[in-house]
Amino acid sequence: MGSQSRIMSNSVLHAFFLLTFGATIALAGEGPYAAFTWTPAHATNYGGADGSGTMGGACGYGNMFSRGYGLKTAALSYALFNNGLSCGACFEIKCNTAADSRWCYPNAGSVKVTATNSCPPNWSKPSDNGGWCNPPRVHFDLAYPMFTKMAQYVAGIIPVYYRRVKCSRTGGIRFTINGNPYFNLVLVHNVGGYGNVVTLYIKNSKTSWIKMTQNWGANWENHNKLVGCALSFRATLGTGQTLSFNGVTSMQWTNGQTWEANTNFY
Ligand SMILES: *[C@@H]1O[C@H](CO)[C@@H](O)[C@H](O)[C@H]1NC(C)=O
């Protein structure tokens, strides 16, 4: 009896884990951006050795060095970019040495990059000859130093394996607030955990939660007057994980400022 009930509770626990795990994966979406196991793709490089050509970009982060992403970044083909909802996601990428022993360095290991940009299609080129980012191709345009860690530059394009990994960040999640008293445009950055915010709410100490809409990349907007009271945020990642960040700003916040919460996703 004793051992039987122990087995039962074990299988109940097991079922619980299966359900929880299954729900997480389902919430992560169906696209190639939600690949958590090694998956084949291809990679090219851009932006030059100093990364100057990787600044700005379709996620809206601006200067990669002041944001903390540095040279460890990638531009994603539209299939991966998911209209900007993959901004901030972290990917581990390794050269497929079995498929390309000529250009992959044999013991290069992998690189971990943050999605900071999109790689737009070029319909004037075939997808197997220059139109590498044309849908439905799953393609990473890596910052030059990430590419050349794994393969010779002359390769141009290399076969890779990639998977989603957790982002390693220093400090709390950060919010840069722009706009005017009647319109907020909030850039979310330095996001830990799986890194890509797919839903964002805002409130001040006098309002209830207001759902923001994605403006572009990692920029979210709302049309409410929130000045004069401290702001809080509630973010949901692509994996479904949700956290509230309360009292992130002071009452005197103004547009153009960046505020850091004292917590983050892990
Ligand atoms: C697309 O490819 C053509 C032909 O090489 C090139 O002239 C053009 O600049 C490319 N367009 C974009 C948006 O990269």
Side-chain angles (χ1 to χ4, degrees):
M1 278 285 275
S3 68
Q4 208 171 17
S5 65
R6 197 153 47 234
I7 290 163
M8 260 182 71
S9 52
N10 271 350
S11 57
V12 167
L13 262 183
H14 189 213
F16 173 75
F17 275 124
L18 279 177
L19 281 172
T20 313
F21 191 64
T24 303
I25 295 303
L27 279 166
E30 302 297 326
Y33 46 81
F36 291 89
T37 55
W38 289 115
T39 305
H42 284 83
T44 47
N45 74 88
Y46 82 115
D50 63 358
S52 53
T54 64
M55 301 298 130
C59 290
Y61 296 131
N63 187 299
M64 298 307 159
F65 293 102
S66 52
R67 295 283 182 242
Y69 304 128
L71 296 168
K72 298 177 176 178
T73 64
L76 307 182
S77 66
Y78 281 17
L80 285 166
F81 193 60
N82 193 19
N83 293 314
L85 295 179
S86 293
C87 286
C90 292
F91 293 89
E92 184 175 13
I93 297 168
K94 60 183 182 185
C95 206
N96 183 346
T97 43
D100 193 346
S101 56
R102 188 174 176 203
W103 301 124
C104 294
Y105 296 131
N107 301 308
S110 61
V111 297
K112 286 181 182 165
V113 295
T114 300
T116 58
N117 200 358
S118 73
C119 177
N122 188 336
W123 296 114
S124 72
K125 291 181 178 178
S127 63
D128 62 352
N129 187 15
W132 311 124
C133 292
N134 294 357
R137 284 187 66 108
V138 179
H139 189 90
F140 294 87
D141 205 7
L142 295 169
Y144 173 100
M146 298 297 100
F147 184 95
T148 52
K149 250 184 201 179
M150 299 188 293
Q152 294 187 46
Y153 175 70
V154 293
I157 179 168
I158 50 169
V160 297
Y161 284 108
Y162 76 98
R163 64 179 176 186
R164 284 285 296 279
V165 291
K166 286 192 172 180
C167 304
S168 141
R169 303 280 180 238
T170 304
I173 187 171
R174 295 180 194 141
F175 303 90
T176 298
I177 305 158
N178 285 299
N180 61 53
Y182 303 93
F183 167 74
N184 302 121
L185 187 65
V186 176
L187 176 72
V188 196
H189 50 107
N190 202 51
V191 184
Y194 282 106
N196 66 319
V197 170
V198 298
T199 309
L200 188 66
Y201 286 81
I202 190 172
K203 74 187 284 301
N204 73 15
S205 32
K206 288 185 181 157
T207 69
S208 50
W209 288 112
I210 298 158
K211 193 170 195 216
M212 303 185 84
T213 53
Q214 188 197 23
N215 182 293
W216 66 287
N219 280 289
W220 297 78
E221 69 171 68
N222 69 282
H223 296 259
N224 309 79
K225 196 174 176 215
L226 299 175
V227 287
C229 297
L231 296 177
S232 299
F233 297 94
R234 190 170 81 198
T236 300
L237 302 185
T239 46
Q241 192 183 1
T242 299
L243 282 180
S244 295
F245 305 96
N246 297 316
V248 173
T249 75
S250 75
M251 283 165 59
Q252 292 81 29
W253 67 269
T254 58
N255 286 307
Q257 294 175 332
T258 296
W259 294 84
E260 180 172 340
N262 54 18
T263 52
N264 208 333
F265 290 96
Y266 290 102

